[in-house]
Amino acid sequence: MNIKIAGGATEDGIVIGNTYDKYGSKNPIVKWMMNGFDTALSELVTRAAPRSIHEVGCGEGYWVLRWNEGGIPARGCDFSTAVIDIARENAGQRALQPGLFEARSIYDLEAARDAADLVVCCEVLEHLEDPEAGLRALQSVTVRHLILSVPREPLWCALNLARGKYIRDWGNTPGHLQHWSRKGFISLVSSYFDIVETRSPLPWTMLLCRPRN
């Protein structure tokens, strides 16, 4: 699925969306990694069997558009008004409602407005100065299931170094403020949610969680 990408644009000094079109990349390594991510995420969504999805940190809207086209009602939000404008443009190009997307920070989520059967928050928590505040916000809007994913460290940085990226920052991707091993991320999330299933598509950690009663 081809969509418009932010391509390294920034808002308030923060890189928004994707720096390149990883979904449509012809690089065999990128394709292999994204196929692993796609498979893991799709299997966890199928297991959650959601009646509705809210993706927090939706970027240009790739997954929200795919879920809607697959028959699952989905919407998305992102802190960046610029990337939400791109997501709305992508929706219009696919004959979907631009109103599926709203500009909203994870810290501003409200249950009455933002709750969904399944909440998806992939590649967001590593960017937050206060990820535990983010997890508390996700608690307030998750009805039945939550899917989280973050880069798996130190593997993520090592792979960046291996391909000659971000050498002066020891392989750290710009904007990544938090770094978790698989075990460390599970330990953090376990303080807020019950973990149903763990996946490790290289080089990420992905969790399917349930809110605690």
Side-chain angles (χ1 to χ4, degrees):
M1 183 173 83
N2 295 319
I3 62 170
K4 182 177 179 180
I5 296 295
T10 62
E11 184 170 326
D12 298 330
I14 301 172
V15 177
I16 62 172
N18 290 283
T19 56
Y20 70 101
D21 184 8
K22 62 186 179 185
Y23 308 110
S25 175
K26 298 187 183 307
N27 181 298
I29 295 175
V30 175
K31 286 179 68 174
W32 176 76
M33 289 169 51
M34 290 310 300
N35 282 339
F37 187 93
D38 187 330
T39 298
L41 178 58
S42 296
E43 289 177 352
L44 292 184
V45 170
T46 298
R47 177 162 180 183
R51 292 182 289 270
S52 62
I53 300 177
H54 187 171
E55 185 182 15
V56 178
C58 64
E60 299 92 343
Y62 177 86
W63 294 107
V64 170
L65 298 176
R66 266 192 50 177
W67 290 321
N68 275 286
E69 291 181 339
I72 305 174
R75 57 201 160 109
C77 69
D78 198 288
F79 87 95
S80 165
T81 55
V83 86
I84 287 297
D85 286 344
I86 294 173
R88 289 173 173 169
E89 184 178 339
N90 286 329
Q93 291 292 325
R94 306 185 75 81
L96 291 169
Q97 291 297 319
L100 294 172
F101 299 100
E102 296 286 344
R104 188 170 303 129
S105 164
I106 187 173
Y107 298 125
D108 296 328
L109 293 174
E110 296 179 3
R113 181 185 57 195
D114 300 313
D117 199 34
L118 169 64
V119 175
V120 176
C121 186
C122 292
E123 310 308 294
V124 173
L125 294 178
E126 69 272 21
H127 295 276
L128 302 182
E129 291 184 354
D130 189 348
E132 297 205 47
L135 287 167
R136 289 193 291 274
L138 293 171
Q139 278 183 315
S140 72
V141 296
T142 300
V143 176
R144 286 203 306 145
H145 289 98
L146 168 70
I147 294 175
L148 296 168
S149 77
V150 294
R152 193 180 342 146
E153 299 290 5
L155 179 60
W156 182 276
C157 287
L159 290 175
N160 277 338
L161 287 172
R163 65 191 184 102
K165 293 288 187 180
Y166 319 126
I167 300 296
R168 286 189 294 182
D169 294 320
W170 295 95
N172 186 54
T173 298
H176 285 195
L177 306 179
Q178 313 294 334
H179 306 83
W180 294 287
S181 65
R182 183 175 182 273
K183 182 178 178 181
F185 188 59
I186 289 172
S187 175
L188 170 69
V189 175
S190 296
S191 299
Y192 297 89
F193 293 90
D194 291 330
I195 296 176
V196 178
E197 190 165 335
T198 303
R199 297 293 181 93
S200 301
L202 196 70
W204 293 277
T205 300
M206 187 179 293
L207 306 178
L208 176 64
C209 312
R210 280 191 182 128
R212 293 204 170 126
N213 294 325

